[in-house]
Amino acid sequence: MSRYFVLFTQQINIIMMNYQLLTSMGIGLMLASCASYKASNIELSRDSAQWQQVSSKITKQKKTLSSKELHQVGLLLNPGLNSIRLQYAKTTAIAENSGYWKDPSLGFSFERPFGGNTLNYGIMPGITLPVTGLPALSKKIAEQYKEADYWTSREAERAFLEELDNLHDAILISQAMLNSTSSRLSVIKRENADIEQLYKLGEMDFAEYQISTQRFNDCIKAQQDEEDSLLTQQLALIKLLGLHPSTPTLRLAGYAPRSAPAARAIPSAGLLLEHPALKASSCKFAASEIELKSAIRAQYPELELGVGYGRDDGKNKLDVGIGLSLPIWNRNREAIAMSTADRALKQQDFVNQWRALLTDTQILKYQQQLLLKQCRSEASRLNLLRKQVETQEKLYSLGESGISELSELRHESYQRQLDYFGYLKKLQIIQTKIQYLSPITL
């Protein structure tokens, strides 16, 4: 047995030497095309330093930020958007690297008959021919999911800008309400000084004096509440933009509108078809259609071909092999059932998304009509009260009206102004939704 083993080993060495060059070239090509691992470390200290540096640079360059500048900063730094973009980068990479055929195979065989001195051997390269077209379908599926993630990222940007604009408008309105309250508080202080003097002289009863004191206290409370609300909104803006938490509160350019804005056009049903959320849903449905086709085709066999060369009893030989799978029991039934159900779900998701958009347009239409009516009505009453205040102030300066009547009218005007800002804030939220519901603004 030892002599046969030696002969066997010698012949294998001869064979391996004959194929050494071919094997070396093949291994070299495989290694050159293989990906290599590269470590990626998380360094929070470095990330925090860079984050703080970028945030500080942005706030130092601009003393006040316009709405457009807020958009630029937020689209660049918002962490949620950047995560969604990484998802899009992932599906992009998958689409670029999908659709390839199966790698070829290479087989070796060695045969040593007992009692003989010959060694039979063979080498058989093989390849799978995708006659069912599965690699091409895989490429199409990956492209559809890539496009779906693109539109998902656009929808995320749309939702982000809507939230950012609402917060921007809310801050401007809160600043206007705080300015109105501070202005009213300074006027109440002067009014109360006159009222207190009249009360001490016995020219005013205690009830009127108590009302003026209560208004003063209520106004202080309102100022404190508005300061708290404004600070909360400013801190929320820093977080939403993705700035470092040490960033000081931002100053915004612009003012709250003093008159009711014009109505915004409601997007048509045809225009809504271009909405990014609907397009993303459409791409996912298209992907589910191709996935079902792929699952159905996978039940049919692929063609496996192999051509081999070898030695048998000292003679060269050429082998041709053909392989097929037989779809008798399995026939990929589980995958077909899952793909069919998934297509139905994606189809329903698309329909639901479309119905939701149509419903939203009608809701926003009616809400805008009502809030515009309320806002304009409140603005009209406010203008009338301001004129009455001017008239009352003239009468007071002429001594034909008392401080109590003037203070009552001023306070009613102040309350109406706050009510107007409340309606205006609701209207701006609705109009911002209408603006970003239209794909034209995206």
Side-chain angles (χ1 to χ4, degrees):
M1 289 296 294
S2 62
R3 184 170 62 87
Y4 291 131
F5 179 76
V6 171
L7 290 173
F8 179 74
T9 304
Q10 289 176 348
Q11 293 186 18
I12 287 181
N13 288 336
I14 294 172
I15 294 170
M16 296 306 296
M17 288 176 64
N18 292 334
Y19 295 104
Q20 184 176 7
L21 179 61
L22 178 62
T23 305
S24 299
M25 292 177 61
I27 293 175
L29 290 172
M30 286 189 293
L31 291 176
S33 62
C34 289
S36 58
Y37 171 75
K38 184 179 180 181
S40 179
N41 299 323
I42 299 175
E43 298 183 10
L44 291 179
S45 58
R46 183 182 65 181
D47 178 79
S48 297
Q50 292 176 347
W51 184 20
Q52 191 168 11
Q53 183 180 6
V54 171
S55 300
S56 177
K57 185 177 181 181
I58 290 173
T59 53
K60 285 182 179 179
Q61 285 179 343
K62 296 287 185 178
K63 292 184 179 180
T64 58
L65 293 172
S66 64
S67 178
K68 183 178 179 180
E69 289 168 337
L70 288 178
H71 286 189
Q72 294 172 346
V73 173
L75 290 173
L76 178 65
L77 298 181
N78 180 264
L81 293 180
N82 287 326
S83 294
I84 292 174
R85 288 166 185 152
L86 286 176
Q87 174 63 31
Y88 174 57
K90 173 184 174 181
T91 50
T92 300
I94 292 173
E96 291 174 352
N97 294 277
S98 63
Y100 290 97
W101 288 16
K102 289 183 179 180
D103 289 328
S105 61
L106 184 62
F108 297 90
S109 64
F110 300 96
E111 182 183 82
R112 177 76 181 192
F114 289 109
N117 294 326
T118 60
L119 176 67
N120 301 327
Y121 61 87
I123 180 171
M124 176 73 74
I127 188 171
T128 301
L129 299 179
V131 294
T132 58
L134 289 179
L137 291 178
S138 175
K139 181 73 172 179
K140 291 180 180 179
I141 292 170
E143 289 291 344
Q144 288 294 332
Y145 279 119
K146 170 190 170 183
E147 187 176 355
D149 279 349
Y150 167 76
W151 289 113
T152 298
S153 66
R154 294 299 307 276
E155 165 61 12
E157 290 175 357
R158 182 209 66 79
F160 166 77
L161 292 178
E162 179 184 330
E163 184 180 0
L164 181 58
D165 284 355
N166 281 332
L167 190 53
H168 169 267
D169 294 342
I171 289 175
L172 293 183
I173 289 179
S174 293
Q175 288 175 339
M177 294 177 69
L178 181 58
N179 292 338
S180 297
T181 302
S182 298
S183 177
R184 177 57 188 151
L185 190 58
S186 63
V187 173
I188 288 179
K189 288 180 180 178
R190 296 196 301 268
E191 291 174 351
N192 282 3
D194 295 339
I195 290 174
E196 185 175 2
Q197 186 67 25
L198 292 174
Y199 175 69
K200 289 180 180 179
L201 295 174
E203 298 182 8
M204 180 174 291
D205 58 26
F206 179 75
E208 290 179 314
Y209 173 72
Q210 185 64 27
I211 290 174
S212 66
T213 303
Q214 184 63 43
R215 284 175 182 165
F216 179 73
N217 293 332
D218 291 344
C219 206
I220 290 178
K221 179 63 167 57
Q223 184 184 50
Q224 292 172 345
D225 291 342
E226 286 156 13
E227 287 174 342
D228 179 69
S229 177
L230 180 59
L231 178 60
T232 300
Q233 291 167 349
Q234 288 173 334
L235 295 177
L237 178 62
I238 292 174
K239 181 178 180 180
L240 182 62
L241 290 174
L243 296 172
H244 194 274
S246 64
T247 304
T249 55
L250 304 174
R251 295 182 60 185
L252 304 184
Y255 302 93
R258 295 293 176 179
S259 59
R264 289 190 182 273
I266 303 294
S268 64
L271 191 59
L272 288 177
L273 291 173
E274 301 299 318
H275 195 279
L278 199 62
K279 285 201 167 190
S281 184
S282 175
C283 290
K284 291 177 182 178
F285 172 69
S288 70
E289 285 263 67
I290 305 173
E291 285 173 334
L292 178 57
K293 292 179 182 178
S294 180
I296 291 174
R297 289 192 187 182
Q299 68 184 323
Y300 301 109
E302 297 282 22
L303 181 63
E304 297 178 359
L305 295 178
V307 179
Y309 166 78
R311 297 278 294 178
D312 190 0
D313 291 331
K315 297 180 181 180
N316 296 331
K317 68 172 183 177
L318 184 66
D319 295 327
V320 177
I322 300 177
L324 291 173
S325 61
L326 299 178
I328 298 177
W329 298 294
N330 188 343
R331 287 184 287 178
N332 207 31
R333 295 180 182 182
E334 181 180 1
I336 292 173
M338 291 178 62
S339 298
T340 302
D342 187 59
R343 182 181 65 170
L345 289 172
K346 297 289 178 58
Q347 185 178 31
Q348 189 62 43
D349 288 342
F350 179 84
V351 173
N352 291 344
Q353 186 72 53
W354 168 246
R355 291 178 178 179
L357 288 173
L358 285 178
T359 302
D360 287 345
T361 55
Q362 290 301 310
I363 292 174
L364 293 172
K365 176 183 177 180
Y366 295 133
Q367 287 178 329
Q368 180 180 229
Q369 290 175 351
L370 178 60
L371 286 169
L372 270 173
K373 178 181 177 182
Q374 293 173 337
C375 199
R376 289 168 179 170
S377 176
E378 199 64 39
S380 177
R381 287 192 293 270
L382 180 58
N383 290 331
L384 180 61
L385 275 172
R386 285 172 177 169
K387 292 178 181 179
Q388 292 176 355
V389 169
E390 292 176 0
T391 302
Q392 195 71 18
E393 286 176 344
K394 291 178 181 178
L395 293 174
Y396 177 73
S397 62
L398 296 173
E400 297 182 6
S401 177
I403 187 63
S404 297
E405 292 81 359
L406 178 59
S407 177
E408 177 71 26
L409 202 54
R410 282 173 175 171
H411 202 72
E412 185 179 355
S413 177
Y414 158 72
Q415 292 288 353
R416 287 295 183 187
Q417 189 171 32
L418 295 185
D419 291 341
Y420 166 74
F421 283 133
Y423 287 120
L424 179 63
K425 184 177 181 179
K426 293 179 181 179
L427 177 60
Q428 285 183 323
I429 291 174
I430 296 302
Q431 291 195 330
T432 300
K433 287 182 179 293
I434 294 173
Q435 176 187 355
Y436 286 105
L437 194 63
S438 174
I440 295 176
T441 61
L442 302 178

